[in-house]
Amino acid sequence: VLSGCVRSPVLDEAKRDLAAGDAAGALARLEEALRADPNNRELRAYYLRQRDLLVARETAAAQQALALGQYAQATAAFESALEFDPDNARARAGLQDLDAARRRAERLAEAETLAAKGDARKAEDIARAVLAEDPGNAAARQLLRKLEAQALERRPATDAVRSALSR
């Protein structure tokens, strides 16, 4: 009965760990204490609050890394969040978004290769498919602009050849 009211030394130690930057150690200490005293409401509330803050920090860092195309860092941060909360929907969805972003990047790399080999039509098709999946994809937009610029550069030469042939 008193376990929820008495100040826990484990709670104080966990707070020191957090202040020292050892969030993983603090959470492990709190989990262990909760297993020993599952009815300690103060401990449970503090654990859940700190876990949620840590998971939110990790998923935010992962989202930022993903937006910058830093896939390894994003993966590590999402996985770190899931170590603390294996059921976290945001981190799980983030890993799915990460996989999709990697696939789009691979497809755009293929499109760049096709464009360099002169197959602008296939490169454009891939870039447009990526944009259909991710309308804000800057790399796909940039590739389309590049392909359009190349087409415009070729067009005057084509017009000149037609003009010369019609004479």
Side-chain angles (χ1 to χ4, degrees):
V1 173
L2 291 177
S3 69
C5 301
V6 176
R7 187 78 183 180
S8 168
V10 171
L11 190 59
D12 293 334
E13 291 171 11
K15 287 181 180 182
R16 279 193 297 273
D17 288 345
L18 286 167
D22 184 13
L27 287 179
R29 184 183 309 276
L30 291 167
E31 282 178 6
E32 185 177 325
L34 278 171
R35 280 192 293 279
D37 186 5
N39 296 321
N40 187 322
R41 291 180 183 167
E42 180 185 15
L43 199 58
R44 179 170 301 287
Y46 188 75
Y47 166 76
L48 291 173
R49 186 171 46 254
Q50 294 309 312
R51 183 199 66 185
D52 291 348
L53 287 171
L54 179 62
V55 168
R57 186 179 69 216
E58 290 296 315
T59 54
Q63 291 291 348
Q64 184 177 15
L66 177 58
L68 295 172
Q70 299 169 342
Y71 301 137
Q73 292 92 332
T75 299
F78 281 131
E79 289 175 351
S80 174
L82 288 170
E83 285 177 22
F84 296 111
D85 184 3
D87 297 324
N88 187 276
R90 187 172 172 212
R92 288 193 179 285
L95 282 175
Q96 291 175 345
D97 292 345
L98 176 63
D99 287 340
R102 278 189 174 130
R103 284 191 304 275
R104 286 189 298 270
E106 289 169 2
R107 289 177 23 218
L108 286 173
E110 176 189 356
E112 288 281 356
T113 300
L114 288 168
K117 291 180 180 178
D119 195 345
R121 177 42 100 199
K122 282 185 184 175
E124 182 180 344
D125 289 346
I126 291 171
R128 290 194 187 286
V130 167
L131 277 177
E133 194 177 306
D134 178 13
N137 191 298
R141 290 187 183 284
Q142 182 178 357
L143 177 57
L144 282 176
R145 282 193 298 273
K146 176 181 164 184
L147 292 170
E148 289 169 3
Q150 289 173 349
L152 287 175
E153 288 174 6
R154 285 190 304 269
R155 184 166 289 143
T158 305
D159 291 344
V161 169
R162 282 189 189 138
S163 176
L165 289 175
S166 66
R167 291 184 192 164

